Every structure is written in structure tokens, then in C-alpha cells.
């Protein structure tokens, strides 16, 4: 491996800017770090270059641990967005800088200069000053300068940001050619997904300091695992759908899913988030004329011509089976605008105008593997449910997840033996307020089919640390999946807390340790979740409550498979707690 | 040259007129009067006044101490400007404002304050005395006073130049393998060299012309701690206007020569880069 990052973490003012990033980049690979501004990608690159230290974790280059090695001894080449050329030096002096520092003889230096000038096609300009070159030429000089000392790794920090479109394309090709010719391991940081697609062997997508997904461009585009990647990498319609053994049910028809092979054949029907790319949507004059699965009728509300493609927004008509679109603001009820792109060919087949009624079909849909689909604020009255739905942490989560918060009123919530007042079963994550007999209410809901339950104290803020624990191996995988999903939307660190019963402290030390390591490696391998581990001794609920009380800004995700004596066992954790608790329940009600 | 060039302020003609008028009226006219007054002397009288041992001693002190003060300010002004530009610390704004104090203070006040501190019985002077170091009433005190009053010029000239040095340049050099000293010598220094020269020039010019603060701390012993401006005042007090004018002309010529030399250096520095290009 050329570059190995192991749990690299960097904080600024208490907030993690780079959060537990682990990554392997192979020899000669062209790796692109993609993310919005402020996602931590540049900070990570600077950490690799040695220009900023890390608070935690290790960085190795070609097997050499360089975590505490100064930038000038790391042997990397770095190219900045604003070129950072030495303005008082000529092109030749700039390129030769690294060689002069190393006391390379004049003859060898001239030789290398010639090679590099040829490599970046700047022959004949060596006696110019940077100010006399165009932006594209200056960046070529910067690339040549960064390569002069034959570094093992080339790092590019948004190198095309300051250039106009045409030059950008040209320079992109040059850099890709140079990289292939030299076979040098390269990391490029950008916020431009088109650039990432054009250059990368593999792309790593960052958001809120976390490395969310890593993969080949095509895999990431067609099979994203997270909402963020689905919407950041190209446009996507996120639809709340129902997944059953047959496929995905969107607006009345069932579409065969293209996602990873379904785990169990006898899968329980549940709510999922489906990704429909705008180019996978078909428009036709009537339902019968569609060649794909019909999902709804709609009205064209907006049309933009972009050359090769036509980009439209279609207002879906509300109906009983209308698909639930998810929007960035978390509102799913207001505007049901579906993004559609069509080729010239499709347009000629069926030309549409704004205001026209169309039948909408979907060719392909991909289901996100996240267990977090939507939220339902549940309380004993609609008014209470509504005030609960305005809790800051809940609205923040819903907005980041681009999902909706439904309301549900259960007047007899917590009354023993009372049935649910609404017939509809519970979907997604149910949310209740944290209050006096909270454990009791939680049990009531869990016994009536709720699988994921968030207990929210009033005014809770986004946590800085999320503690993870599960009781019973049956629920381990579900808890990890849920934790990974939640943590993608929060800039918090994850800590797995293993609890060994107090009486067995001495005897069970070693197995407890193995459990810890297993949990960590599963989280990493199956869910891409980096977490730290802690071990405690004692009774589970008490220990967790004690750990949560230690510092503010913590949240707990706990997996359970057994509801026996639930209220009694979890009273110290739930009743009147100042921390949010997410309960993941799998098993008999 | 055309007087019709579009601009925000009214007319090039008007502004150019003002420029030449003010320069002539406020700068060139008095200087011309000075030269004329000196010119009315007989040649041998002029030589006698400007080459008297007392006058020669004062030139040495005035220009020597000013040169030394400007050099000191170059080094420490750079350090101060660097600290203010590069670091965030509580009280940075306050220190930044304090730099201008010598501008605002009547120079006599600075002189009296320095004398109080460095006189043989002063706060610091009393500890330096046993070590055999005399500050007040020696050339050291003169240099100290000149350093104090010319310091803001060096700092203020350097600050904007240092702001210009992007940290990215240093980082680029670092990833290319350069150490701190190398980066300072090859990246930072060349970038701020013009500002350093400007700062030096301003500080030197200010120090040469200084009078108020020096006369308190210098002790004004003829041949030893007497600066040229003071000698001029002494001539004036003796109603020897011509003698004073003669010394003034010498100062004028020498200052002009120094400024001219530094400007040549600047121009040469600029041209060196352009020539490399061709």
C-alpha cells in the first residue's frame, strides 16, 4: 500500500474536522477525495502532506509510519489551488527549487528540468516569471515543481479550482497522462463530481469529516450506500418506498430492485429509501404507453434545456398510492417534484411542454441499505406530537437525512393492554419524548411492533459522542447498521461500550476483549463505521447511565432482542435522562 | 501628454495643477530659499563653517546614529511586524495601536522619558552604571532615541508586505524539502525586500531630521554628542543665519544622496528580475 490511514482524527475547536478516517490507497492509484466544502477533505490531504498534525491515528507512506515526520522529510509533492508559485523566481528556478534544496549538481538539475518541462509541455518558457504565464501554465509549473524531487506520492488540492472550463479539461488530461507515465500514487481533492468521475480510479466521498464510501466511480454512482453519496454524486430522487420479498413497491407498482442480493427470501416488508436517478424516469402521454413501471401521474412544472439533455421537474399528483418523495428540507408533503432528465432522442419521441399532464414511469430503482428511513413523532395527542417533531435534534437529523417527520397520536400510549388507536403499523423510526415514565411507554411501543425507537429529551442538541451497546448477538448487526446510519449524519465520534457483568470481571476478561475486537472489525468491514472501544464492569443499564452522565453531549444507541422486564431494567437509563437514546429492537415483541 | 484622461476625481488638469503647486509652494520654495541664503556666503566662509571640527563631529553622530537606528529597526521592526501579522494572541490589537505612539507623542516627551529612565540615577541607568555602561549623554543614548522615534516607520512599511507573503508559499517550500532558514532566506526575504528597503529609508530619513528627543538625552557636548540639527539651532541662536543655512544645505545634500542611493537599489532589484526574463 502506498498510503495507509488508520483512524485519522483531527479536531478544530472541539469539533472533529476529520473523524476516524481509515483508508488504503494502492501503488500507482489515482484516488479522488470528493466532498462539499468543509467536509474535511483538504484537512485530510494536508495531514498526509504533513502540513497539519493529527490528534489521533496513524499515517503511513509506503509502509513507513510518518505520523510524526515533518513535511519536508515525507517525500510528497503538493499542488495548491492557487498555484503557490514563488513569484520572484523564474519557471526554471521554481521547478528546480526542490533540487537546489538537496544540493543537486547543476548538470543533473538542468537534465531534470528538461524532462519535467517536456512532461508538462512547457518547453521554452523556463526563463519566464510566473506573473507572465496564464493560469493553466502556472499550474503546470506547480505540477512540475511538485514532481522534481521524484516524490512517492503526489497530492493535488483542488488544482483546477481557479481555472476556466476549457483549460481545466486540458490540464486534467495532462495530469492524468503524467500520472500514468510516472505511475505515481496520486490523491486529488475536489468538490466537483464530474472531475472526480473523469480522473479517478477510485473515489472516496467525505462529509462532516467522515469518509462515507469508497469505490470505483461506476459502483458508487449506481449502488450508493448512503443518502449523501446518492445525492452528492449526480442528481437523485429519494423516494420512501416499501421493500418486500418481490421487490420495491413505489406508487402501486413493484419494481425489481437492483441493489445487493436480498439477505433473506422471507423478508419482512418494511420501509426503505429508494434512489431513482433522473435519467431512469420515463415520461409518456398515458399509463399504457409507458415501457417501464408506472408510479404516478404528474404535471410538468419546469423545463431547462442544457444541450445534450433536457432537465425537467414533474409535479406528482397526490393519490393514495403516490410515491413519497423526500426533500432536502425534510418536508415530504409540500412539493412532490420529481427530477427528470431526458435525452434528445426521448424528447423527439414524446415532446412535452410545461403544464402538460404526463404518466411517470421508473426504469430502475436502487434501495439504500440504511435502516433509517423516516421518523414518526409519537405522543398522546397530535399537539404534543407536533411539538415533539420540532425538537432541534430531530429536525436537524431529518434535514440532513432529507427525510420526513410524520405525526402519530396515540391517546392511550402507555395504558397497559390497550391496543394502538391507529390501524396502520409503525414504519421507520418512532420518536417519543423523554419524560417520567418513559421506560414504560417505550415498552408499550416496542411490544406493539416498533422496531426502532428514539427517546428524545427536550431541547437535546446534536451529540459529540455516540455510545453503542447491544444485548445479545442477534441484534448486533442491526445495531451496527443503525449506528453507522446515524453517525453518517452527525459529526460525532462513535464509542462501543462493552460491559462485562461485575461478578465475572476477573474470569471473563479475555472473552470480553475478543468481543470488543470482533465488534470493531465487523463495524469497519460491514458498515464502514470506525469506532473506538471501551470496557466496563457491572450491570448494563446502570453502567450505561453512569457513562452517559459523565459528560454532556452524548447519545446512546442500544440494541435489544429481549423485552422481558424491559421497563424495570431500563428505568435508570430512560426515565428523566438528559441524553437521547435510540433503541434498536429485533426479535419477538 | 494629454490632459484629457477619464477618472473619478475631477480633471487631470486640476489635480496636476494642485500637485505641482503644493510641491513647489511647500517643499521646493523653502528649500530654494535655504540654498540661496547659504549661497550668499563667501565660498571660504561656507567651507569654514561646514568643515569645522564641530560640524564634522556632528555629521558623524547624526548620520552614524541614524544609520544604526535604521538598521536596528530593520531587524526588530521585522520581528514586531512578523509577530503582529502572523500570530493571534490576546492584546494583539493593543500592541498594534501602541506601535504608533512615537508618531503621536511630542518628541520632546520621548526624550525626557528616555532620559529619566537611562540617566545615571534613572530606573535602568542606575543598574547599568556599575557595569560601566553609560547610555544617557553618550552616542548610545542618541541612537536609542532615534531608534524609538523611527520604529513605527519600519514596522508600518513591513506589515503590508508580510501580509502578502502567503503561508501557502512557505508550505509549498516545506513539502519540497526546504528547512526554516532556507525558506526564510529564499522565499520570505526576497518577497519583502522592497518593503525592507522602504522601511529602512523612512526610518533613516526620520532619524536624520530628529531634534526634539535627542537634545534631552544627548548631553550636547560639542564634538561628542552634538547632532547637526542642534548645531544649526546653535548657529541660529547666535543670529548666524548663513551658518545655519550652510549646515542645512549639507544635510539636504547628504540626505538626498542616501535616498537616491536606496532608490537606485530598489530600481536595480526590480530590473534584475525583468532582465532574467529576456
Amino acid at each position: 500500500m502506498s498510503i495507509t490511514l488508520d483512524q485519522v482524527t483531527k479536531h478544530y475547536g472541539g469539533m472533529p474536522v476529520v473523524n476516524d478516517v481509515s483508508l488504503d490507497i494502492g501503488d500507482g492509484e489515482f484516488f479522488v477525495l470528493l466532498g462539499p466544502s468543509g467536509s474535511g477533505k483538504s484537512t485530510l490531504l494536508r495531514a498526509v502532506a504533513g502540513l497539519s498534525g493529527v490528534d489521533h491515528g496513524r499515517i503511513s507512506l509506503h509502509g513507513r509510519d510518518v505520523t510524526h515526520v515533518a513535511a519536508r522529510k515525507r517525500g510528497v509533492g503538493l499542488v495548491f489551488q492557487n498555484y503557490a508559485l514563488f513569484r520572484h523566481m523564474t519557471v526554471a528556478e521554481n521547478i528546480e527549487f526542490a533540487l537546489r534544496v538537496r544540493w543537486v549538481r547543476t548538470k543533473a538539475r538542468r537534465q531534470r528540468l528538461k524532462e519535467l518541462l517536456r512532461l508538462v509541455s512547457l518547453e521554452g518558457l523556463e526563463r519566464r516569471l510566473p506573473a507572465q504565464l496564464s493560469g493553466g501554465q502556472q499550474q503546470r509549473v506547480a505540477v512540475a515543481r511538485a514532481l522534481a524531487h521524484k516524490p512517492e506520492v503526489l497530492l493535488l488540492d483542488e488544482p483546477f479550482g481557479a481555472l476556466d472550463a476549457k483549460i481545466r479539461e486540458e490540464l486534467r488530461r495532462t495530469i492524468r497522462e503524467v500520472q500514468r507515465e510516472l505511475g505515481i500514487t496520486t490523491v486529488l481533492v475536489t468538490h466537483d463530481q464530474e472531475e472526480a468521475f473523469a480522473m479517478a480510479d477510485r473515489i472516496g466521498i467525505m462529509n462532516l469529516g467522515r469518509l462515507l464510501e469508497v469505490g470505483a466511480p461506476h459502483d458508487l454512482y449506481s449502488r450508493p450506500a448512503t443518502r449523501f453519496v446518492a445525492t452528492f454524486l449526480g442528481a437523485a430522487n429519494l423516494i420512501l418506498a416499501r421493500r418486500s420479498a418481490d421487490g420495491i413497491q413505489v406508487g402501486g407498482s413493484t419494481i425489481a430492485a437492483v441493489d445487493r442480493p436480498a439477505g433473506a427470501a422471507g423478508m419482512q416488508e418494511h420501509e426503505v429509501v429508494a434512489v431513482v436517478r433522473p435519467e431512469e424516469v420515463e415520461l409518456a402521454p398515458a399509463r399504457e404507453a409507458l415501457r417501464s413501471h408506472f408510479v404516478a401521474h404528474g404535471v410538468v412544472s419546469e423545463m431547462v434545456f442544457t444541450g445534450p439533455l433536457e432537465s425537467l421537474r414533474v409535479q406528482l399528483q397526490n393519490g393514495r398510492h403516490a410515491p413519497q418523495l423526500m426533500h432536502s428540507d425534510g418536508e415530504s408533503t409540500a412539493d412532490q417534484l420529481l427530477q427528470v432528465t431526458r435525452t434528445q432522442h426521448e424528447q423527439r419521441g414524446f415532446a412535452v411542454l410545461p403544464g402538460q399532464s404526463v404518466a411517470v414511469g421508473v426504469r430502475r430503482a436502487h434501495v439504500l441499505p440504511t435502516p433509517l428511513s423516516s421518523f414518526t413523532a409519537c405522543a398522546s395527542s397530535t399537539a404534543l406530537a407536533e411539538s415533539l417533531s420540532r425538537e432541534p435534534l430531530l429536525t436537524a437529523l431529518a434535514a440532513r437525512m432529507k427525510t420526513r417527520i410524520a405525526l402519530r397520536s396515540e391517546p392511550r400510549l402507555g395504558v397497559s393492554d390497550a391496543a394502538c388507536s391507529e390501524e396502520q403499523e409503525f414504519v421507520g423510526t418512532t420518536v417519543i419524548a423523554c419524560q417520567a415514565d418513559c421506560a414504560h411507554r417505550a415498552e408499550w411501543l416496542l411490544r406493539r411492533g416498533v422496531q426502532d425507537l428514539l427517546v428524545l429529551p427536550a431541547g437535546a442538541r446534536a451529540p459529540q459522542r455516540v455510545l453503542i451497546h447491544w444485548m445479545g448477538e442477534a441484534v448486533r448487526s442491526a445495531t451496527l447498521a443503525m449506528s453507522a446510519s446515524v453517525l453518517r449524519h452527525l459529526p460525532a465520534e462513535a464509542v462501543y461500550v462493552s460491559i462485562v457483568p461485575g461478578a465475572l470481571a476477573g474470569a471473563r476478561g479475555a472473552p470480553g476483549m475478543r468481543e470488543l475486537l470482533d465488534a470493531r472489525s465487523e463495524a469497519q468491514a460491514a458498515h464502514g463505521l470506525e469506532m473506538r472501544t471501551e470496557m466496563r464492569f457491572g450491570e448494563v443499564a446502570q453502567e450505561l447511565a453512569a457513562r452517559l452522565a459523565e459528560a454532556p453531549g452524548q447519545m446512546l444507541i442500544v440494541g435489544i432482542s429481549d423485552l422481558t422486564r424491559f421497563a424495570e431494567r431500563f428505568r435508570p437509563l430512560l426515565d428523566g435522562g438528559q441524553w437521547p437514546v435510540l433503541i434498536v429492537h429485533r426479535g419477538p415483541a | 501628454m494629454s490632459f484629457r484622461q477619464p477618472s473619478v476625481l475631477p480633471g487631470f488638469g486640476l489635480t496636476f495643477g494642485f500637485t505641482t503647486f503644493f510641491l513647489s509652494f511647500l517643499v521646493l520654495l523653502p528649500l530654494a530659499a535655504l540654498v540661496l541664503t547659504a549661497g550668499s556666503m563667501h565660498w571660504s566662509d561656507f567651507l569654514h563653517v561646514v568643515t569645522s571640527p564641530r560640524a564634522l563631529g556632528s555629521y558623524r553622530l547624526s548620520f552614524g546614529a541614524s544609520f544604526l537606528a535604521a538598521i536596528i529597526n530593520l531587524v526588530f521592526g521585522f520581528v514586531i511586524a512578523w509577530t503582529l501579522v502572523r500570530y493571534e494572541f490576546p492584546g494583539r490589537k493593543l500592541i498594534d495601536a501602541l506601535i504608533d505612539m512615537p508618531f503621536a507623542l511630542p518628541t520632546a516627551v520621548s526624550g525626557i522619558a528616555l532620559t529619566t529612565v537611562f540617566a545615571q540615577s534613572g530606573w535602568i541607568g542606575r543598574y547599568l552604571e556599575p557595569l560601566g555602561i553609560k547610555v544617557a549623554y553618550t552616542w548610545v543614548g542618541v541612537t536609542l532615541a532615534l531608534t524609538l522615534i523611527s520604529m513605527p516607520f519600519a514596522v508600518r512599511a513591513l506589515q503590508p508586505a508580510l501580509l502578502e507573503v502567503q503561508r501557502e508559499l512557505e508550505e509549498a517550500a516545506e513539502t519540497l524539502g526546504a528547512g526554516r532558514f532556507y525558506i526564510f532566506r529564499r522565499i520570505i526575504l526576497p518577497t519583502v525586500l522592497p518593503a525592507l528597503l522602504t522601511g529602512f529609508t523612512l526610518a533613516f530619513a526620520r532619524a536624520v531630521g530628529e531634534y526634539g528627543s535627542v537634545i534631552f538625552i544627548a548631553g550636547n557636548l560639542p564634538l561628542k554628542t552634538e547632532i547637526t540639527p542642534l548645531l544649526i539651532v546653535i548657529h541660529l541662536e547666535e543670529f548666524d543665519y548663513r551658518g545655519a543655512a550652510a549646515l542645512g544645505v549639507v544635510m539636504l545634500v547628504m540626505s538626498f544622496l542616501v535616498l537616491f542611493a536606496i532608490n537606485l537599489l530598489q530600481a536595480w532589484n526590480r530590473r534584475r528580475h525583468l532582465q532574467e526574463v529576456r
Side-chain angles (χ1 to χ4, degrees):
Chain A
M1 284 300 142
S2 230
I3 305 175
T4 304
L5 308 180
D6 181 26
Q7 292 198 303
V8 172
T9 302
K10 170 89 185 166
H11 294 264
Y12 273 124
M15 288 291 281
V17 192
V18 174
N19 198 348
D20 261 347
V21 172
S22 297
L23 176 66
D24 285 323
I25 299 174
D27 284 332
E29 187 173 6
F30 199 113
F31 191 90
V32 174
L33 267 178
L34 178 66
S37 48
S39 60
K41 54 192 194 307
S42 282
T43 310
L44 187 60
L45 194 80
R46 291 171 55 84
V48 174
L51 294 175
S52 66
V54 299
D55 299 332
H56 179 81
R58 314 215 68 80
I59 299 171
S60 314
L61 298 178
H62 291 95
R64 182 170 68 115
D65 187 333
V66 296
T67 316
H68 301 291
V69 174
R72 63 195 187 94
K73 290 180 182 151
R74 286 203 185 181
V76 300
L78 180 58
V79 176
F80 295 85
Q81 175 171 4
N82 298 318
Y83 326 131
L85 292 180
F86 308 132
R87 275 170 294 174
H88 58 283
M89 296 186 193
T90 62
V91 168
E93 285 173 324
N94 264 288
I95 296 177
E96 287 180 357
F97 187 86
L99 305 176
R100 275 177 192 271
V101 170
R102 288 169 176 74
W103 304 104
V104 173
R105 282 166 190 279
T106 315
K107 209 175 154 197
R109 230 165 50 209
R110 295 285 149 188
Q111 182 61 31
R112 183 81 183 126
L113 174 67
K114 251 175 97 179
E115 280 170 37
L116 289 163
L117 285 171
R118 182 195 55 77
L119 204 62
V120 296
S121 336
L122 280 179
E123 290 111 324
L125 297 181
E126 58 266 43
R127 292 180 65 77
R128 295 263 184 102
L129 280 179
Q132 297 166 307
L133 300 178
S134 71
Q137 287 171 328
Q138 290 191 46
Q139 198 56 296
R140 281 164 195 268
V141 175
V143 171
R145 184 181 67 178
L147 290 170
H149 54 302
K150 300 191 174 161
E152 294 168 321
V153 170
L154 178 63
L155 306 172
L156 307 158
D157 190 0
E158 307 238 11
F160 314 116
L163 301 172
D164 56 54
K166 206 154 183 196
I167 310 270
R168 196 180 286 208
E169 197 128 311
E170 205 181 293
L171 193 57
R172 236 184 240 172
R173 210 171 307 128
T174 308
I175 287 186
R176 200 67 175 98
E177 276 164 17
V178 167
Q179 193 267 342
R180 286 218 183 89
E181 189 173 331
L182 302 180
I184 182 171
T185 309
T186 305
V187 182
L188 177 126
V189 159
T190 181
H191 61 266
D192 181 348
Q193 46 117 347
E194 195 194 323
E195 198 169 293
F197 280 147
M199 305 193 74
D201 291 327
R202 275 197 308 158
I203 300 177
I205 297 180
M206 287 190 75
N207 189 34
L208 298 170
R210 277 183 191 279
L211 185 63
L212 290 181
E213 288 183 55
V214 176
H218 180 262
D219 289 346
L220 285 182
Y221 185 74
S222 58
R223 285 190 297 278
T226 59
R227 282 164 237 258
F228 181 80
V229 172
T231 48
F232 190 72
L233 218 51
N237 298 293
L238 295 182
I239 299 177
L240 277 179
R242 299 191 67 80
R243 179 85 163 93
S244 65
D246 310 331
I248 312 158
Q249 287 171 15
V250 182
S253 36
T254 303
I255 306 166
V258 290
D259 60 340
R260 293 134 208 227
M267 180 200 293
Q268 207 183 350
E269 190 177 307
H270 60 280
E271 189 182 61
V272 293
V273 180
V275 178
V276 175
R277 294 282 179 199
E279 65 269 23
E280 302 292 358
V281 178
E282 189 193 359
L283 300 183
R287 182 171 181 168
E288 295 71 39
L290 282 172
R291 270 172 295 174
S292 59
H293 304 280
F294 169 80
V295 291
H297 288 288
V299 177
V300 178
S301 74
E302 199 184 306
M303 248 178 85
V304 181
F305 176 69
T306 61
L309 294 172
E310 171 192 61
S311 146
L312 307 97
R313 281 165 182 273
V314 176
Q315 171 84 45
L316 297 185
Q317 276 167 5
N318 288 319
R320 215 170 72 78
H321 287 296
Q324 290 266 326
L325 275 175
M326 299 159 76
H327 289 285
S328 48
D329 53 3
E331 297 278 328
S332 68
T333 44
D335 267 347
Q336 294 274 34
L337 283 174
L338 190 74
Q339 300 179 61
V340 184
T341 53
R342 304 201 307 162
T343 60
Q344 292 281 340
H345 172 75
E346 283 174 284
Q347 202 190 347
R348 280 193 297 274
F350 171 50
V352 295
L353 290 168
Q356 190 171 341
S357 289
V358 291
V360 180
V362 168
R363 298 188 189 98
R364 282 173 64 144
H366 162 71
V367 169
L368 295 180
T370 170
L372 268 177
S373 51
S374 65
F375 292 106
T376 306
C378 180
S380 53
S381 72
T382 316
L384 283 175
E386 205 182 316
S387 82
L388 177 61
S389 74
R390 283 195 299 268
E391 277 292 325
L393 178 57
L394 186 56
T395 49
L397 266 178
R400 282 179 193 165
M401 288 162 51
K402 307 183 201 308
T403 193
R404 63 162 180 181
I405 306 170
L407 303 181
R408 181 169 178 141
S409 129
E410 286 287 348
R412 304 178 70 189
L413 179 64
V415 177
S416 308
D417 302 328
C420 290
S421 56
E422 285 186 34
E423 259 179 42
Q424 220 183 339
E425 61 185 279
F426 290 94
V427 293
T429 303
T430 307
V431 187
I432 58 169
C434 180
Q435 47 190 234
D437 64 337
C438 193
H440 184 62
R441 284 163 189 247
E443 178 168 3
W444 191 89
L445 285 166
L446 291 169
R447 290 207 183 272
R448 281 156 186 77
V450 170
Q451 291 206 312
D452 302 313
L453 179 67
L454 176 62
V455 181
L456 206 59
R461 300 266 154 203
Q464 275 147 23
R465 182 180 297 135
V466 174
L467 306 180
I468 300 164
H469 181 79
W470 53 82
M471 299 173 205
E473 289 304 290
V475 74
R476 175 173 69 179
S477 174
T479 312
L480 281 174
M482 179 58 93
S483 305
S485 258
V486 170
L487 281 159
R488 272 181 216 124
H489 304 288
L490 292 174
E493 63 171 344
V495 179
Y496 169 61
V497 186
S498 163
I499 299 172
V500 177
L504 301 171
R508 283 268 316 259
M513 208 62 192
R514 182 170 315 145
E515 194 182 305
L516 221 66
L517 294 174
D518 283 354
R520 211 189 117 184
S521 58
E522 186 183 335
Q524 218 167 336
H527 306 283
L529 172 67
E530 293 288 345
M531 52 184 198
R532 304 219 199 124
T533 49
E534 271 180 26
M535 200 144 113
R536 294 177 79 95
F537 301 97
E539 201 276 321
V540 173
Q542 271 169 13
E543 281 305 315
L544 286 176
R547 181 72 182 82
L548 284 164
E550 271 171 24
Q554 301 195 94
M555 174 179 172
L556 172 70
I557 298 178
V558 61
I560 54 168
S561 54
D562 179 14
L563 289 179
T564 325
R565 297 197 304 122
F566 176 88
E568 199 183 318
R569 276 158 59 209
F570 283 86
R571 190 149 288 140
L573 210 50
L574 296 178
D575 285 5
Q578 293 306 303
W579 43 78
V581 179
L582 178 57
I583 300 166
V584 180
H585 173 229
R586 299 289 183 272
Chain B
M1 186 173 69
S2 161
F3 279 96
R4 291 193 166 273
Q5 298 176 19
S7 113
V8 182
L9 288 178
F12 177 47
L14 193 62
T15 49
F16 185 74
F18 267 121
T19 309
T20 43
F21 173 74
F22 268 90
L23 263 179
S24 317
F25 191 73
L26 295 174
V27 181
L28 295 180
L29 200 65
L31 288 183
L34 176 74
V35 175
L36 279 180
T37 312
S40 66
M41 289 173 86
H42 193 268
W43 185 241
S44 62
D45 287 347
F46 179 82
L47 268 187
H48 179 72
V49 171
V50 301
T51 59
S52 70
R54 206 172 159 187
L56 290 177
S58 80
Y59 301 149
R60 201 169 53 233
L61 181 66
S62 256
F63 287 94
S66 297
F67 189 79
L68 203 61
I71 293 281
I72 292 171
N73 276 326
L74 210 55
V75 176
F76 292 98
F78 182 90
V79 174
I80 294 172
W82 180 266
T83 313
L84 289 175
V85 167
R86 279 305 172 92
Y87 301 105
E88 260 318 315
F89 53 90
R92 191 179 67 98
K93 287 248 162 68
L94 187 74
I95 293 180
D96 199 35
L98 277 179
I99 299 289
D100 290 332
M101 278 298 276
F103 271 143
L105 225 53
T107 49
V109 176
S110 316
I112 293 168
L114 276 177
T115 313
T116 316
V117 173
F118 285 104
Q120 285 172 23
S121 55
W123 292 351
I124 298 179
R126 88 173 70 145
Y127 299 108
L128 293 178
E129 177 74 13
L131 302 173
I133 303 169
K134 275 192 183 168
V135 178
Y137 317 126
T138 65
W139 65 271
V140 182
V142 175
T143 310
L144 194 72
L146 293 180
T147 309
L148 172 79
I149 51 102
S150 62
M151 188 263 297
F153 291 87
V155 176
R156 292 292 181 234
L158 275 166
Q159 255 177 326
L162 282 176
L163 274 175
E164 286 270 298
V165 183
Q166 302 163 12
R167 202 163 281 190
E168 276 188 359
L169 292 180
E170 291 155 43
E171 290 177 346
E174 212 183 324
T175 57
L176 293 170
R180 286 175 195 212
F181 182 68
Y182 198 91
I183 293 175
F184 179 77
R185 198 163 58 86
R186 297 298 308 266
I187 309 297
I188 298 170
L189 218 48
T191 317
V192 300
L193 190 65
L196 274 176
L197 284 175
T198 308
F200 178 84
T201 315
L202 288 172
F204 178 78
R206 176 74 182 85
V208 166
E210 177 57 13
Y211 170 76
S213 64
V214 179
I215 54 166
F216 287 98
I217 201 168
N220 309 326
L221 298 171
L223 296 174
K224 283 187 179 157
T225 59
E226 194 175 53
I227 55 169
T228 316
L230 179 70
L231 199 58
I232 294 174
V233 172
I234 290 171
H235 277 282
L236 286 177
E237 280 171 349
E238 292 165 355
F239 303 107
D240 179 10
Y241 294 123
R242 289 177 174 183
L247 286 172
V249 167
V250 171
M251 283 208 84
L252 189 67
V253 169
M254 284 172 80
S255 298
F256 180 77
L257 284 179
V258 171
L259 296 187
F260 189 68
I262 291 171
N263 267 311
L264 274 185
L265 201 62
Q266 294 263 39
W268 169 77
N269 184 40
R270 266 196 299 276
R271 200 162 308 133
R272 196 176 51 148
H273 283 304
L274 291 178
Q275 264 171 2
E276 268 176 14
V277 175
R278 287 189 201 113

